[in-house]
Amino acid sequence: MRHRTGGGDSRRESGRAAKALRRWLAAVLLPACNAAAAQPSTLPAAACDASSHVTVLAADPQAPSEARALWLDRRTLRWPGAAAGSLYRLYHAPAGGIAAVPGRRVTGAAGVIALRPAAEPGADVRRRFAWAGDGVTLALDAGDATLRELHRQAQVLVEEDAAGRVLRATALQVPGALDDLYAAAADAPGLGAHPSPDGTAFGLWAPTAHEVSVCIYPDDERAATQRLPARFDPATGLWSARTADDLRGRYYTWLVDVYVRGTGLVRNRVTDPYSVGLGADSRRSWIADLDDPALKPAGWDAAPRPPALAAQTDMSVYELHVRDFSLGDASVPAAHRGRYLAFADAGSAGMAHLRALAQAGLSDVHLLPVYDFASVPERGCAVPQVPAAAPDSPAQQAVVMADAARDCFNWGYDPFHFNAPEGSYASDPGDGAARIREFRAMVMALHALGLRVGMDVVYNHTYAAGQDEKSVLDRIVPGYYHRLDAAGNIERSTCCENTATEHPMMARLMIDSAELWVRHYRIDSFRFDLMGHQPRAAMEALQRRVDAAAGRRVPLIGEGWNFGEVADGARFVQASQLSLAGSGIGSFSDRARDALRGGAGDGRDKVARQGWLNGLGYAPNAETAGDDPATARKALLHAADLVRAGLAGTLRDYVLTAADGVAAPLHALDYNGQPAGYAAAPGEVVNYVENHDNETLYDLNAYRLPLDTSSEDRARVQLLGMATTALSQGVAYFHAGIDTLRSKSMDRNSFDSGDWFNRLDWSYRDNFFGTGLPPASSNEAAWPWIAPRLADAALRPAPADIAFARDGLRDLLRIRASSSLFRLRTAEEVAARLSFPNSGAAQNPQVIAGHLDGRGHPGAGFGEVLYLLNASPQAQVLDLPSERGKRYVLHPVHLSPAAADRRPRQQALFDPARGRFSVPPRTVLVYVLE
């Protein structure tokens, strides 16, 4: 006989179970809460100094290994894949110990609640959990106080037979319930530590915790001197503590007693997610008032700040790593090398380089992660002694990688604490004040050059989760801050533990953090790592908040890649390329990038996948020499169209006459099965040909250019690559060192490759090509192609080649800054003013020609502009009938005696009667009409 879950019997049973739970609460938990309320102002501090970061108070080895059911809201849950018509019960116990073995009755529970079938929840909840799939939807009848206590406990959902034996059992995913029960937490004040002359207040969101207290330490090393009990607010889930003492300058941690599935009831000693300061290696949070004068470098309050840009398209960005910037700069005092304070050394070679870029028109420096990250030991990091070895030797990388886990270098995409500066860049990582003061000194120094300062931020994942010592969020509210898969395991599609910014309190942490950097550190813009893993709605909320904090627009750009468990809007509308149109938020475009330098590939493909810049269809290398000429030409024609798409701002509705002769909007142009055009406005696109990811452009060209390409021509190809970025509509983004022919000795992923493979040379003598085989971990399969290139001295540039590229970028920035036509603000302006005369079926795909109509446009500077980019190693002649009779002259930058490239003055020819242009080999030309 089938046991039914519906009807009055089930509701009566559920009611009896709820009463039993309330009786248990009254008998066990409420007296404990009352005792906590009446406890003294401090607790014994010995627990603060336990030898481990976690103490297991009650183990729970029998907990279900999976959490396949989900709370949809405070009273409703779903078990995907489970069917209606069975008996479902929810068992609970404060410290775990529930045994749900198939074929047996459940044991070890403190209580049980029978569940009834439930109607489908509202539309918002259905959309949020659509990814989970169909299944039985169940509900319980209980008041909010009962539910809050239930969510502090271990929970096991069981499907039983008529005799009460277990058929299946699972744990539950809790975010839906916590977000509903504690919705007020999204706006609740008080998170973090807040010192004042009247006392110090602490706040922590930990709605599932049993008990919370705050440990106070006199410094970064000694034992705790106080332990303050925290009190729970049932409306918000916040725990708060207060003392009458002004504790600024002291250190603290939280003790959080909480149930963790698979471990049991634990006491976690953990730093504060809202830490604004930290001690060495982030073991303790530091108590600070960021408005304290002691945390400001001299002159901070009155320091000038560059004005806001008039439009996002005015951004031209130099992406820079703090340690790379100065570590090898002998003009920087030794104590400052690799640190924030190197930027305050105004007379250094590195600062002279940035000053020259700023004077040429660069608007922003974007710093690779400078929040607190976990992958570099802040005290005692190793400095490998790399041997002098052959250019193609594996010895260098062997030494570097032997110390990689404990050396002083990492890109920093390993978030530990989002709101505090990284300690390894400070003069004393154990001094909480030093991090803050020196970070501000860096910002102030860059602002003094006229450069705005952007941060590369990584809110899409954390370095660690679970009970790891470097896990913060998951040890405070287990199972909430990270995105879970169908089995309740943390998703790792971003490489690490993915955060769930679709959950209100994770979104709040991200938004609060961005506001803090804008308000207290004068950060001018942000670059978001893997932004497509975040909801568009959360990013738009962040935009509103940071704009309000700054009192001006704060540009937001990021990686809008569409992949992983959130791909194609599976969980929410993403902040991804195809979902951001109309938002004003910029995303990096891979369309022109891949067309220019060639697509990704391994082995032979690393050489064979040439792009428009490095020989596709016109300068074959050893791997492509035998390719079918017709196929190669077709690929070149398509690549040229994609380059034009990039120059037009990757705008979805911009109409281009493509190589097939058809005029169509860019969203109809194919890019690997996706629309080539996706942006609604040029400011929503970030143009680049190189950034910190993957090989540098110089190294990719070492693979793909014919091996007999001269070092001078390699520098010219580099300049052409930079020109496509500078002349494209949208944001211009340059990787630090692209203008000095930067090489990483062909390393494809230098995130943990140490200082050796990430060097910059502001003396302009070396680009570090041929300084050893790159690390085996990411490159060993390509060593057969890499080694002979590194050993070839002809592929290394001379100082003159480096100087040519260096000065060439400055010229390009001057050209970009000279006319608003290169920085158009709307899709309508681009459509009306930009055309490509050498396009369509009859085009010469080796030369890109772009025409800009400046008549009547504010700031145009010229009536018309015509730019010509010749990627070919031979001079090319273009007949452009539309340009006949026009009295073009070279752009003033080309005509300057100090121009980096002399070919425009010496070799370029223009016959106005025929509209004929002779473009020198591998050259960019810009003509203007006054």
Side-chain angles (χ1 to χ4, degrees):
M1 179 178 177
R2 184 167 230 149
H3 190 90
R4 292 165 37 194
T5 59
D9 290 344
S10 174
R11 284 192 291 273
R12 283 192 294 272
E13 185 173 3
S14 179
R16 286 195 297 271
K19 289 179 181 177
L21 176 58
R22 286 194 292 271
R23 285 196 299 272
W24 180 85
L25 293 172
V28 179
L29 276 191
L30 292 181
C33 293
N34 292 334
Q39 64 190 331
S41 59
T42 61
L43 297 170
C48 298
D49 301 309
S51 59
S52 173
H53 65 282
V54 56
T55 302
V56 178
L57 305 176
D60 187 18
Q62 301 181 95
S65 61
E66 296 184 333
R68 291 197 169 271
L70 307 92
W71 286 97
L72 305 182
D73 57 32
R74 71 183 70 189
R75 294 186 179 85
T76 313
L77 53 87
R78 175 177 295 155
W79 193 345
S86 293
L87 175 65
Y88 295 96
R89 296 174 186 260
L90 181 63
Y91 292 85
H92 54 88
I98 301 169
V101 180
R104 301 181 184 177
R105 290 179 174 273
V106 173
T107 61
V112 59
I113 301 174
L115 303 169
R116 59 177 173 79
E120 285 297 304
D124 288 346
V125 174
R126 289 200 305 274
R127 279 194 295 270
R128 176 177 178 179
F129 293 105
W131 64 271
D134 295 331
V136 64
T137 303
L138 305 164
L140 57 84
D141 298 307
D144 286 352
T146 299
L147 292 170
R148 290 187 182 101
E149 297 304 335
L150 175 65
H151 286 292
R152 294 183 179 189
Q153 302 185 39
Q155 303 170 19
V156 180
L157 177 60
V158 179
E159 180 184 8
E160 298 179 348
D161 64 16
R165 293 180 295 242
V166 175
L167 297 174
R168 291 192 302 165
T170 182
L172 295 98
Q173 299 181 27
V174 301
L178 300 185
D179 289 338
D180 187 19
L181 271 170
Y182 300 104
D187 299 312
L191 291 169
H194 302 276
S196 74
D198 298 326
T200 304
F202 300 87
L204 182 75
W205 190 66
T208 61
H210 289 206
E211 182 181 342
V212 173
S213 54
V214 186
C215 298
I216 307 298
Y217 307 88
D219 54 33
D220 194 27
E221 299 291 341
R222 287 183 289 171
T225 55
Q226 286 180 280
R227 180 178 164 206
L228 309 174
R231 289 172 171 76
F232 183 68
D233 175 12
T236 62
L238 268 65
W239 294 78
S240 60
R242 182 174 178 83
T243 176
D245 299 322
D246 184 346
L247 296 178
R248 74 186 70 205
R250 307 283 184 88
Y251 293 79
Y252 72 107
T253 59
W254 292 96
L255 291 186
V256 181
D257 293 3
V258 65
Y259 173 77
V260 178
R261 176 170 63 90
T263 304
L265 183 62
V266 301
R267 173 168 293 161
N268 279 324
R269 185 177 68 243
V270 61
T271 46
D272 195 329
Y274 276 76
S275 299
V276 298
L278 295 157
D281 292 314
S282 311
R283 296 185 308 271
R284 295 174 180 176
S285 301
W286 189 66
I287 302 170
D289 173 3
L290 292 178
D291 291 323
D292 193 329
L295 301 181
K296 299 175 182 179
W300 173 258
D301 288 332
R305 181 179 182 181
L309 294 168
Q312 192 145 303
T313 51
D314 291 332
M315 288 182 77
S316 53
V317 181
Y318 203 63
E319 180 195 47
L320 185 61
H321 184 272
V322 167
R323 187 170 172 86
D324 294 351
F325 171 66
S326 61
L327 189 68
D329 189 348
S331 65
V332 173
H336 293 176
R337 292 176 198 166
R339 304 188 187 279
Y340 299 127
L341 287 179
F343 292 88
D345 294 311
S348 73
M351 288 300 281
H353 186 85
L354 294 182
R355 185 178 298 109
L357 288 170
Q359 290 169 349
L362 188 76
S363 70
D364 287 64
V365 163
H366 272 203
L367 300 169
L368 266 69
V370 284
Y371 54 73
D372 179 61
F373 53 83
S375 45
V376 170
E378 292 178 352
R379 285 203 192 279
C381 60
V383 179
Q385 300 302 304
V386 183
D392 58 345
S393 170
Q396 299 95 324
Q397 65 85 33
V399 170
V400 168
M401 297 315 291
D403 280 332
R406 59 189 186 90
D407 73 357
C408 304
F409 180 89
N410 200 282
W411 280 349
Y413 290 86
D414 300 313
F416 199 171
H417 298 87
F418 293 113
N419 296 353
E422 163 60 16
S424 67
Y425 300 147
S427 59
D428 180 357
D431 180 353
R435 299 186 189 219
I436 297 166
R437 195 166 47 241
E438 293 169 10
F439 188 109
R440 285 170 162 170
M442 172 182 66
V443 172
M444 192 165 69
L446 289 168
H447 280 170
L449 295 183
L451 291 168
R452 295 155 194 84
V453 181
M455 277 183 70
D456 193 333
V457 287
V458 185
Y459 295 112
N460 64 82
H461 65 249
T462 58
Y463 178 76
Q467 290 299 107
D468 189 282
E469 186 171 7
K470 293 187 177 181
S471 167
V472 178
L473 301 174
D474 209 27
R475 292 204 293 130
I476 295 171
V477 192
Y480 178 81
Y481 283 102
H482 292 88
R483 188 174 300 121
L484 307 180
D485 66 12
N489 300 313
I490 295 174
E491 295 277 11
R492 302 188 79 255
S493 58
T494 65
C495 84
C496 309
E497 278 68 18
N498 295 3
T499 56
T501 41
E502 65 270 30
H503 299 167
M505 290 303 283
M506 183 61 220
R508 175 182 174 173
L509 175 57
M510 176 177 74
I511 294 167
D512 287 350
S513 175
E515 180 187 12
L516 179 144
W517 291 109
V518 167
R519 185 180 300 280
H520 292 289
Y521 292 93
R522 301 178 185 167
I523 292 299
D524 299 290
S525 58
F526 292 96
R527 175 206 180 271
F528 287 80
D529 181 67
L530 299 184
M531 182 176 64
H533 271 58
Q534 294 159 196
R536 170 173 166 159
M539 288 296 300
E540 290 178 321
L542 185 150
Q543 180 79 77
R544 292 189 293 271
R545 181 83 73 80
V546 295
D547 288 356
R552 65 191 204 178
R553 180 76 171 183
V554 176
L556 305 182
I557 61 175
E559 294 180 310
W561 316 134
N562 176 39
F563 69 97
E565 72 283 355
V566 300
D568 302 320
R571 300 209 182 196
F572 43 76
V573 176
Q574 301 158 260
S576 60
Q577 286 176 330
L578 300 184
S579 302
L580 279 172
S583 68
I585 297 169
S587 64
F588 285 81
S589 175
D590 44 0
R591 277 58 169 167
R593 179 203 69 186
D594 286 353
L596 286 162
R597 67 190 197 186
D602 294 306
R604 176 186 178 276
D605 280 351
K606 188 72 79 172
V607 180
R609 290 194 176 183
Q610 289 179 290
W612 184 85
L613 279 174
N614 46 39
L616 174 62
Y618 61 85
N621 59 40
E623 297 293 342
T624 60
D627 289 357
D628 175 56
T631 301
R633 179 171 175 80
K634 183 178 179 180
L636 174 60
L637 287 164
H638 187 61
D641 281 342
L642 288 173
V643 173
R644 294 183 185 97
L647 289 163
T650 320
L651 295 168
R652 62 184 182 185
D653 295 327
Y654 181 87
V655 176
L656 174 72
T657 301
D660 60 4
V662 177
L666 290 180
H667 65 73
L669 182 66
D670 178 70
Y671 167 74
N672 296 335
Q674 303 174 64
Y678 63 80
E684 293 176 351
V685 165
V686 182
N687 302 297
Y688 73 116
V689 72
E690 170 186 319
N691 73 348
H692 66 273
D693 285 320
N694 305 311
E695 295 93 346
T696 67
L697 179 60
Y698 192 90
D699 288 345
L700 273 174
N701 287 337
Y703 278 115
R704 292 170 176 167
L705 283 169
L707 287 176
D708 61 358
T709 304
S710 69
S711 66
E712 178 188 358
D713 267 13
R714 290 178 185 275
R716 288 190 160 278
V717 172
Q718 192 93 350
L719 184 61
L720 275 168
M722 293 187 285
T724 60
T725 297
L727 301 179
S728 290
Q729 303 297 326
V731 175
Y733 205 87
F734 302 97
H735 181 215
I738 190 174
D739 52 333
T740 58
L741 306 182
R742 185 177 190 173
S743 171
K744 297 179 181 180
S745 210
M746 301 184 74
D747 190 352
R748 71 180 298 178
N749 187 12
S750 70
F751 82 100
D752 197 23
S753 298
D755 299 316
W756 184 260
F757 291 99
N758 286 281
R759 286 176 288 174
L760 288 167
D761 178 13
W762 303 129
S763 73
Y764 313 123
R765 292 190 297 268
D766 199 350
N767 77 336
F768 303 112
F769 185 87
T771 50
L773 285 168
S777 54
S778 297
N779 304 282
E780 189 170 15
W783 279 358
W785 287 271
I786 294 174
R789 288 167 169 80
L790 296 181
D792 186 349
L795 271 61
R796 299 191 70 169
D801 302 319
I802 296 172
F804 171 83
R806 175 200 66 202
D807 296 342
L809 177 57
R810 296 171 190 178
D811 283 352
L812 290 168
L813 289 170
R814 292 184 184 100
I815 290 170
R816 179 179 171 86
S818 72
S819 175
S820 60
L821 295 174
F822 298 115
R823 297 170 279 114
L824 297 172
R825 299 180 183 181
T826 68
E828 292 75 19
E829 286 182 333
V830 176
R833 296 186 179 275
L834 174 64
S835 60
F836 296 101
N838 175 41
S839 59
Q843 68 178 273
N844 174 353
Q846 296 175 63
V847 182
I848 303 293
H851 179 271
L852 289 158
D853 183 353
R855 290 170 294 182
H857 192 266
F862 310 102
E864 297 180 44
V865 174
L866 180 73
Y867 57 80
L868 302 163
L869 303 167
N870 178 16
S872 169
Q874 291 85 36
Q876 299 291 311
V877 176
L878 280 187
D879 285 331
L880 302 179
S882 62
E883 309 309 306
R884 288 175 185 161
K886 297 181 180 180
R887 298 295 175 179
Y888 281 113
V889 295
L890 287 171
H891 192 284
V893 168
H894 285 321
L895 294 174
S896 169
D901 190 0
R902 298 177 183 177
R903 281 187 183 175
R905 288 203 321 273
Q906 296 175 347
Q907 300 180 27
L909 298 174
F910 169 50
D911 179 355
R914 303 175 66 179
R916 173 168 289 182
F917 297 83
S918 296
V919 188
R922 291 180 169 140
T923 298
V924 52
L925 295 179
V926 181
Y927 284 98
V928 298
L929 282 178
E930 297 295 340

